[in-house]
Amino acid sequence: MTWREYHESTKHSVESLRRAPHTLDWANMPDSFRHYEGVRVLDLPAGPPLPEIPALDVLRGVSGATPAGDGPTFLSQLLFYSAAISASKRVPSTGYRYALRVNPSSGNLHPTEFHFLTRGLKEWPDGLYHYRPSSHMVEQRALGGLEMRLAASSAQIVFVLTSIAWREAWKYHDRAYRYCLHDMGHAWQALALAARAIGCDSFAVGHFPDDEVAQFCHLHEDEWPMLIVELRGRSIPVRERDTCETVWYGGYANQLSRERTAYTLIDRIHDATKLSEGAHRGISSAEPAPTGSGEIKLPPPASSMRAFGEVARMRRSALDFVGGMQSMSLAQLSAILVAATRPFSADFASAHFIQLYLYAHRVNGLQSGVYRLWPSAELEEIKIGDQRVAAAGLSLGQELAGNACVALSMIGDLARAVHAHGDRGYRYVHFEAGAIGHRLYLAAEALGLGATGIGAFYDEEVHRYLNLAPERLQVVYHFAIGYPVPDPRLEA
Ligand SMILES: Cc1cc2nc3c(=O)[nH]c(=O)nc-3n(C[C@H](O)[C@H](O)[C@H](O)COP(=O)(O)O)c2cc1C
């Protein structure tokens, strides 16, 4: 299996949707909370300090500071603003209640797990931990000075983000691997931005030998390591590192559902994108993204003083947008686009692989139409005219893409990514798309707007509509931004 075979087989079309089963086996729905049982569970202090720095400053690359004076408070703050439960929803017709998290997830199924190792944090034992969002606690899976050959030993905290594909596959079948990768990109940015807001630098490593990392973390076989994120910085409260021997507890992973249905396409694409021992030789660099220009120069970005902590925890996916006459300004759009496309700190991110196409519906000062965004912060006119029906239609008929002020197609330069990184590049393109998506969410929220990630679209129809050459470019993610309608399910 190659990335292209997987991608082609998981494209949506009218035909593929007609063939797909529409029923969900609710009795076998995977638990969205993983626990490693039988190990010590450490509490994280409640009510960690709110990062006050404006969210738009963090998105522009400015670092905040933390008043946390010890390791537990620091970790609590970091996770509360990146991965914790943030609200709940209740379905009025059934009374069914479920949790939302700071990081979004396709179908709210949350395939991503946060593991981390710590070295020399004040009042916190060195070891390997797994985060329990259900209670904002951590499971201590190993104790002592662990040395991970793959991560720079100067990093005081190293996260290993993993994915449990079955959680997504339960609902989205073979296409679910794409969503796991998007979700990973969101989780990475949620973590990286929270870290920056409290004064840490982060660096993500996508190029590592998968099996070695899985063994190092003693992961259950249904959990796959996808990204390593190193954190370092003067704001981390430190002490001397522990020199004691490592003691492993591991713990027993809970069973997520009665049975696990096999999705061989997902297993095969995951295998195709894995790296082995050779990964230690380092990652090659990709050709730079093409440059271009457009007729419309984005104006200076709109500003907002809303605190990062508030924005991160209030971020929600809009159920729909109000449509009608309410427009956003071009300065707001400028702020959102500039934030979303700033450079990323990752080994696979020396070159951008994603280009944004916009379907402008209600942006003051911008004629309705389709535009391509260039790194020079210029919009190139692709076609002029009302795009509301087209944008909704391309997003599988989801009306929110037409009721938004602006909808987006993220176009991945898969040919360039795969040329540099082999099939592994398939992951990197989707991580970047998810990471851009996370910045779109936060920038929109900071400016009083709402956003929704859209993983469901008619792939080939998008290529035709935008006149793309699919042997090189593929649509990988959609987004919509506008004024959200109130969500009657939201409780807190
Ligand atoms: C990768 C991805 C794909 C998504 N696709 C859709 C979609 O096609 N349609 C939609 O209405 N929402 C979509 N969402 C939004 C999720 O349903 C939402 O994130 C989830 O229900 C959790 O809600 P929250 O974002 O408010 O925390 C997507 C989210 C992500 C991260």
Side-chain angles (χ1 to χ4, degrees):
M1 152 109 5
T2 61
W3 74 267
R4 194 176 282 282
E5 286 164 317
Y6 170 78
H7 200 71
E8 291 298 331
S9 321
T10 54
K11 283 182 173 172
H12 278 324
S13 65
V14 175
E15 250 319 289
S16 74
L17 291 179
R18 202 172 293 140
R19 281 196 312 265
H22 294 292
T23 50
L24 288 175
D25 181 1
W26 289 103
N28 197 39
M29 181 185 180
D31 189 341
S32 58
F33 295 106
R34 153 102 334 140
H35 301 307
Y36 281 89
E37 284 157 6
V39 298
R40 217 174 131 211
V41 179
L42 306 188
D43 208 352
L44 293 174
L50 181 139
E52 306 270 4
I53 178 171
L56 283 188
D57 284 359
V58 177
L59 286 163
R60 277 196 298 120
V62 182
S63 286
T66 177
D70 57 56
T73 312
F74 184 86
L75 289 170
S76 176
Q77 192 185 26
L78 179 66
L79 289 160
F80 194 67
Y81 292 101
S82 59
I85 287 177
S86 55
S88 64
K89 280 190 181 176
R90 186 176 167 276
V91 183
S93 55
T94 60
Y96 175 68
R97 192 175 263 125
Y98 56 95
L100 300 180
R101 304 192 201 177
V102 174
N103 55 316
S105 166
S106 183
N108 202 37
L109 296 165
H110 288 284
T112 309
E113 296 289 329
F114 290 66
H115 298 256
F116 59 96
L117 69 91
T118 62
R119 299 155 166 154
L121 283 197
K122 221 168 165 180
E123 295 167 42
W124 183 266
D126 290 3
L128 181 78
Y129 300 87
H130 170 245
Y131 181 52
R132 246 190 206 196
S134 57
S135 53
H136 194 52
M137 293 176 176
V138 293
E139 297 151 1
Q140 188 175 61
R141 304 193 57 228
L143 200 54
L146 287 104
E147 274 312 323
M148 196 175 187
R149 185 150 70 109
L150 318 144
S153 57
S154 63
Q156 289 108 343
I157 307 175
V158 180
F159 275 83
V160 177
L161 303 183
T162 67
S163 203
I164 302 179
W166 159 235
R167 285 207 185 113
E168 284 288 319
W170 169 77
K171 180 168 183 189
Y172 297 112
H173 310 284
D174 289 324
R175 194 170 162 105
Y177 192 73
R178 300 190 191 193
Y179 301 158
C180 291
L181 301 180
H182 292 128
D183 279 18
M184 186 57 53
H186 280 279
W188 159 40
Q189 269 313 281
L191 185 62
L193 293 170
R196 188 185 291 156
I198 61 175
C200 305
D201 295 325
S202 71
F203 187 75
V205 178
H207 188 84
F208 57 80
D210 297 66
D211 291 344
E212 195 178 314
V213 175
Q215 274 158 23
F216 175 85
C217 297
H218 295 217
L219 296 176
H220 188 262
E221 46 152 23
D222 63 5
E223 239 183 278
W224 299 334
M226 291 284 195
L227 262 186
I228 298 172
V229 184
E230 305 163 357
L231 302 189
R232 46 173 78 73
R234 269 188 304 196
S235 75
I236 303 177
V238 287
R239 53 156 174 79
E240 285 295 299
R241 288 182 182 184
D242 294 340
T243 47
C244 56
E245 285 282 294
T246 306
V247 186
W248 264 100
Y249 310 115
Y252 304 99
N254 61 337
Q255 190 177 335
L256 300 178
S257 56
R258 198 185 56 231
E259 57 189 317
R260 179 150 50 112
T261 311
Y263 285 92
T264 46
L265 269 189
I266 292 184
D267 291 339
R268 289 168 64 204
I269 181 64
H270 187 63
D271 279 348
T273 59
K274 270 171 135 185
L275 297 176
S276 55
E277 272 290 304
H280 287 298
R281 283 197 294 273
I283 189 166
S284 42
S285 52
E287 271 173 52
T291 52
S293 62
E295 306 79 4
I296 300 156
K297 181 88 193 149
L298 286 174
S303 62
S304 151
M305 293 307 288
R306 278 191 80 196
F308 177 84
E310 188 189 322
V311 167
R313 292 198 53 88
M314 292 301 290
R315 181 214 60 79
R316 305 274 174 269
S317 293
L319 185 63
D320 198 353
F321 298 95
V322 296
M325 302 298 288
Q326 213 175 344
S327 300
M328 68 190 287
S329 68
L330 193 52
Q332 285 178 314
L333 182 63
S334 171
I336 292 170
L337 294 178
V338 168
T341 52
R342 280 183 49 79
F344 291 102
S345 190
D347 63 347
F348 54 86
S350 57
H352 273 287
F353 296 121
I354 297 289
Q355 188 161 35
L356 298 182
Y357 281 66
L358 283 71
Y359 307 79
H361 307 316
R362 300 171 185 87
V363 184
N364 277 332
L366 192 61
Q367 234 184 317
S368 293
V370 177
Y371 299 88
R372 173 163 41 181
L373 175 69
W374 287 103
S376 54
E378 287 168 340
L379 295 174
E380 178 191 350
E381 213 174 272
I382 304 292
K383 51 179 107 184
I384 288 301
D386 191 343
Q387 301 298 321
R388 290 173 299 175
V389 173
L394 294 173
S395 291
L396 239 63
Q398 298 186 77
E399 290 186 1
L400 79 173
N403 289 331
C405 293
V406 62
L408 296 104
S409 285
M410 296 194 201
I411 306 302
D413 193 338
L414 279 148
R416 191 159 47 86
V418 170
H419 181 73
H421 305 302
D423 286 319
R424 184 73 153 201
Y426 189 67
R427 293 191 193 179
Y428 301 157
V429 172
H430 287 79
F431 293 162
E432 185 183 329
I436 290 175
H438 202 69
R439 291 172 172 188
L440 292 174
Y441 266 122
L442 295 188
E445 177 68 34
L447 291 161
L449 296 154
T452 304
I454 301 176
F457 41 78
Y458 290 118
D459 300 70
E460 288 302 341
E461 296 297 324
V462 177
H463 300 156
R464 273 193 285 277
Y465 195 70
L466 299 178
N467 201 16
L468 303 174
E471 63 282 359
R472 180 165 188 90
L473 302 170
Q474 302 270 340
V475 55
V476 292
Y477 199 13
H478 273 188
F479 236 81
I481 300 172
Y483 293 95
V485 297
D487 188 339
R489 301 166 304 176
L490 203 57
E491 288 197 314

